[in-house]
Amino acid sequence: MCGIAGIFLHRVAVPDRHALEKMAATMEYRGPDDLGFHLAESIGLVHRRLAIRDLSAAGHCPMASPDRRMHLVFNGEIYNWRELRQELESLGYVFASQSDSEVILHGYHAWSDALIPRLQGMFAIAIWDSEKRELFLARDRMGEKPIFFCATPEGLAFASTPAALKYFRGNLLVDSVGVACHLAHTFIPASHAGWKGIRVLSPGTWLRMRAGQVEQTSRYWDFPRIGPQRKGWSQSLLEVERVLDDSVRRCLDADVPVGVFLSGGVDSSLIAAMAARHQSDLKAFSLGFVESNFSELPFARQVAKHLRIEHHEVVLGVDDVVACLPHLVRQYGQPFGDASAIPSYLVSKLARAHVKVCLSGDGGDELFGGYWRLQAGVYAARYGKVVPLFLRQKVVPTLARVAGAAGRRLAAMNSLSLAPPGAGYTNSESWFNQLSAVAGPRLAGVLDKPLLAALRVGKAIDRPEASVVQRLLYDDIQIQFPDALLTKVDVASMAASLEVRAPFLDVRLMELAWSLPDRTKLRWGQRKPLLKKLAAEHVPSGVVYRPKMGFAMPLGEWFAGRLGEYVASVFADSHAVAEGYVRRGALEDALLRHRKVGGEATRLWLLLWLELWFRDQQRA
C-alpha cells in the first residue's frame, strides 16, 4: 500500500522536481517506509512506500524494466501475483524481487493493457513507456485504490490524493456541484471533486495518454449483463463459502503481520472466522464508544473468544473526535461527510501498533443486500404497482404532509415509487431535501434535485435484464461504495499508515454474488439472509441475528453537548459562509433544532467537515 503521483508533459521538458516533492509531502502517511522519484523528459513519477511485500530494496519504486524503457509506480496488492509470475517465467521473464510490482511491470511488457483484467486485487497503477512517450493509468474494479487526475493543454497530473494536484494546476476553484453533493449525499460522486478540473479515474477503467494527444479511456470490467440465475439455496451457500475462504487465504499473504478488524457485525465476524482457519496467531482489533448503547464491543469480544484469537480494543469519546478531525480533514483533501471515518481511523491507528495489514468485512453489505435502502427500493417498486399513478402524484403528497412521522415515511416511499424501479432516491438525514435552507449564494445554481439525484442513482437503467434488487445494489456498488465507503476506508487507514484488504471484493465472488437469486439478498423482509446463514455456521448465532448497528457514532448526543459547542465555535467566524457556500445562520438554526428535538446530527456533521475543509485550504 502506497501513495503514487506523477506529472506528464506533452512537450520535451523535465517536470519540476520541487512540485513533485510537494506532491509527495501530501502523501507522507500513505508511505512512510520509502520515497522514490523518477524524472526524465516529459515525465516525473513519485512513489511513497508502505512496505508489505519484499521488504528489501528490490521492491523499491519507481521500478524500471531491465531495459529502462518502462517505469512503474503502484499502490495496492495483487493477490494472484504468484500464478502470474509463474506464467511470465515460462515466457522467459527473469525476476529480481519477490514483489507484485515487478509482476505488473513484466506483465505489462508481455500483454500490454490485456494484463489489467487478469489482475486479482486492489490497485492504482501508473506505467511510463519512454519509447512510446505514453503514460498508462489503471484502477481496480471496485475502486479500492484512488487515482485523481487533471488534464490541461500542458499535460496531465495524477495522484492518490486530490490535494497533491494543486501543485500542478496552481490555484484551484471550488466545484460548487461537488460541495452540493457533499451536503446532499454526504460524499462527492466521482464525476466531480472538491475542485473544478479534478477528475477521478472510474473503477474498472484504464487511461492512456501519449504526447500531443488527449487521454483515451476504456472500461475493462463491469458486472455481467445477466439477471438473477436459478440456483438452489444450498448450492449458493457452498459456492460463496468456497470462494470467500480462498479469497481470505490469498489476502493473508504478506511479508508483514496481518490482523483483522472485528466490529462484532456479520461481515467482519465471518472474515475473522475464515482467517482464523489459515492463521494461528491472528490478532483482532475493535472499537467501541464511551456511550455503551452505541458500542458493539460486547459482540466483538464474544466472537474473539469463540474463535480463540487475540483481541485488542480502543474506546472512543467525543474529545477524541475533536482531536483527530483536523488531521483527517487534511488527509481526505476534499469534503467528506461519513462520520464513521473517525472510528475507522482510530481503530486503524490501534491496529498499526501491532500489524501492518488488516482484513475487513467491506463489501458484504453491498454484494449481499445488507442496507435498508434495498428494502425501501423493493417495497417502493411493489407500492408503485398497487397504488395508481394519479394518486401518487396528486393525493399522497398532500396526505403525507399532515400525517407526522408516518407521513414522512409515506412521502419517501411515494417519492421513490415515482422514479423507474430501483432508480429513486431520497435522503432524510442529509441536506438533500433541504438544500435551499442551507445553501449560500454560490450554490444557487446547483440546487436542482433531479441533477444531484442523477449523480447518485439510476446507473442500471440500461440493464433491462437486471432485477430491481440488482439495480439497487448496482447503484450502491458503482457510486456510494467506491466514492463513500471505500474512500473512507482507504484514507482513514492510510492516515494511520495501515493497509486494509477486503476479501469480499475478489472478482470471482463479486460476479458470483451478482448472479445469485434475489432471495439470497432479501428474504421475507430479512436483509443479507445467505451471508447471515453462512456466518452463523462459524460464529455465535446471537451475534449474527441481531439488529444492525453499523459503525455509527453517538453524534446526536455529542452535538447536544460538547461537539455542539465545538461546531458553534468553529462557525463563529465561518469561511464557508464568508465564501458564499453556506447560508448565514444555517448552522445556528440546525443546532437549535437539534438541541430542541434532535435529528440534525448528520446535517451538522456535514457543515462541520465542510467548514474545516475551507479552513484547511487557507492554511495549506
Side-chain angles (χ1 to χ4, degrees), residues 505-583:
L505 301 188
D506 185 297
V507 62
R508 299 166 300 167
L509 185 61
M510 292 191 295
E511 293 181 350
L512 170 61
W514 176 260
S515 71
L516 292 177
D518 286 347
R519 68 179 182 277
T520 64
K521 299 158 188 172
L522 185 62
R523 189 182 196 187
W524 301 111
Q526 183 188 75
R527 302 191 298 273
K528 208 163 56 177
L530 184 138
L531 216 56
K532 289 180 179 178
K533 173 64 175 174
L534 179 57
E537 295 179 1
H538 299 279
V539 299
S541 60
V543 172
V544 175
Y545 296 105
R546 62 181 179 85
K548 182 179 178 64
M549 293 179 68
F551 214 12
M553 297 193 295
L555 287 179
E557 297 180 24
W558 291 347
F559 273 120
R562 168 80 169 91
L563 198 57
E565 295 170 359
Y566 175 65
V567 71
S569 68
V570 167
F571 263 82
D573 180 24
S574 170
H575 292 232
V577 170
E579 296 193 25
Y581 290 95
V582 173
R583 177 183 65 80

Side-chain angles (χ1 to χ4, degrees), residues 393-604:
Q393 289 179 329
K394 305 295 184 183
V395 179
V396 173
T398 302
L399 292 175
R401 280 194 291 269
V402 297
R408 288 193 293 272
R409 290 192 291 271
L410 175 61
M413 177 76 72
N414 196 68
S415 176
L416 289 174
S417 76
L418 292 172
Y425 181 76
T426 184
N427 190 328
S428 62
E429 293 190 352
S430 75
W431 290 101
F432 180 76
N433 295 319
Q434 304 177 40
L435 265 179
S436 60
V438 70
R442 287 285 186 94
L443 297 185
V446 293
L447 300 183
D448 186 344
K449 285 174 59 178
L451 166 66
L452 295 177
L455 295 174
R456 170 66 181 80
V457 295
K459 307 305 175 185
I461 290 297
D462 66 341
R463 286 178 165 253
E465 77 285 348
S467 68
V468 173
V469 167
Q470 285 179 316
R471 291 184 181 199
L472 288 160
L473 294 179
Y474 190 82
D475 277 348
D476 281 347
I477 291 168
Q478 294 296 323
I479 304 297
Q480 180 165 312
F481 193 40
D483 300 334
L485 191 143
L486 291 179
T487 295
K488 175 193 73 177
V489 173
D490 171 71
V491 181
S493 60
M494 286 285 89
S497 303
L498 179 81
E499 174 173 301
V500 176
R501 301 177 178 181
F504 278 112
L505 301 188
D506 185 297
V507 62
R508 299 166 300 167
L509 185 61
M510 292 191 295
E511 293 181 350
L512 170 61
W514 176 260
S515 71
L516 292 177
D518 286 347
R519 68 179 182 277
T520 64
K521 299 158 188 172
L522 185 62
R523 189 182 196 187
W524 301 111
Q526 183 188 75
R527 302 191 298 273
K528 208 163 56 177
L530 184 138
L531 216 56
K532 289 180 179 178
K533 173 64 175 174
L534 179 57
E537 295 179 1
H538 299 279
V539 299
S541 60
V543 172
V544 175
Y545 296 105
R546 62 181 179 85
K548 182 179 178 64
M549 293 179 68
F551 214 12
M553 297 193 295
L555 287 179
E557 297 180 24
W558 291 347
F559 273 120
R562 168 80 169 91
L563 198 57
E565 295 170 359
Y566 175 65
V567 71
S569 68
V570 167
F571 263 82
D573 180 24
S574 170
H575 292 232
V577 170
E579 296 193 25
Y581 290 95
V582 173
R583 177 183 65 80
R584 188 171 301 278
L587 180 280
E588 291 79 5
D589 292 346
L591 187 57
L592 181 62
R593 287 195 302 272
H594 185 75
R595 286 170 172 165
K596 287 183 176 180
V597 297
E600 298 289 327
T602 297
R603 288 184 278 273
L604 288 168

